[in-house]
Amino acid sequence: MSDDHEVMLWCGLALTAGLVAAPGLLTGGFPLLPLFLAVVGMACSAHRPSRRFVMEKTGEAFSGSRIRSLIIVFGAIMMIQILPVELALLMAGDVLAYVELVAAVSLIAGRARWPVVKARLVLSGQRAARMIWRPVARARRAVFHRRPGRPAAGDPDGPADAGTWAFA
């Protein structure tokens, strides 16, 4: 995507957020989220390093399954900002039903993955136990046992035979 297209997209975000914030401002309120998005959109359309920073942090924040929940919450907040209270509460209840459905599906998927996670935990526990007990076993085997028939280092009498007697 060229630089001009990116600037136009950020300007569009700033303009849209400003239009969403306008009814709240006109009624005497202070819609924080739309105003925040408008300011971020204006900053990113004017400054390339800001644009890169916001895109990097947004990618980190919205990776994985968190994005579904955040989009649902974001939509509920935007609806509450522009709709009457009764309709906003009705919509928020509907959104909460969707959140509950997503949570149920996530729990079902997690339950299906549990045997794999359990097997991996057992395997890593066994590896950790082996790493802990291996040095202990080596220390026990490292006890020096002198075998008969081999001369000790620096023995002036030479090698000892099985039939040799020692007299003092």
Side-chain angles (χ1 to χ4, degrees):
M1 187 181 312
S2 71
D3 194 40
D4 293 335
H5 287 97
E6 288 180 13
V7 170
M8 292 302 291
L9 285 173
W10 284 106
C11 284
L13 172 72
L15 180 64
T16 304
L19 289 175
V20 168
L25 289 172
L26 292 175
T27 59
F30 194 70
L32 289 176
L33 187 62
L35 289 176
F36 173 74
L37 289 176
V39 170
V40 168
M42 286 188 290
C44 289
S45 65
H47 193 240
R48 180 179 289 160
S50 296
R51 188 179 325 145
R52 191 175 333 116
F53 176 77
V54 168
M55 290 303 292
E56 178 183 318
K57 296 303 176 187
T58 304
E60 290 175 8
F62 293 129
S63 63
S65 64
R66 289 185 286 178
I67 189 163
R68 292 180 300 207
S69 300
L70 289 174
I71 287 175
I72 291 170
V73 169
F74 177 74
I77 290 172
M78 293 299 279
M79 292 290 242
I80 289 171
Q81 293 281 333
I82 61 172
L83 297 175
V85 174
E86 297 83 16
L87 191 56
L89 289 176
L90 177 69
M91 294 296 241
D94 190 33
V95 168
L96 287 177
Y98 293 136
V99 170
E100 189 173 338
L101 181 68
V102 168
V105 169
S106 298
L107 285 173
I108 291 168
R111 177 96 174 163
R113 285 182 286 196
W114 173 244
V116 176
V117 172
K118 183 179 173 185
R120 203 167 269 227
L121 283 173
V122 167
L123 182 65
S124 63
Q126 289 172 347
R127 285 183 183 163
R130 270 189 254 130
M131 290 177 69
I132 290 171
W133 290 109
R134 188 175 294 152
V136 173
R138 283 186 188 153
R140 287 182 185 161
R141 281 185 292 190
V143 174
F144 180 73
H145 296 287
R146 184 171 178 189
R147 296 183 186 179
R150 290 193 175 178
D155 191 5
D157 296 334
D161 291 334
T164 308
W165 293 86
F167 293 103

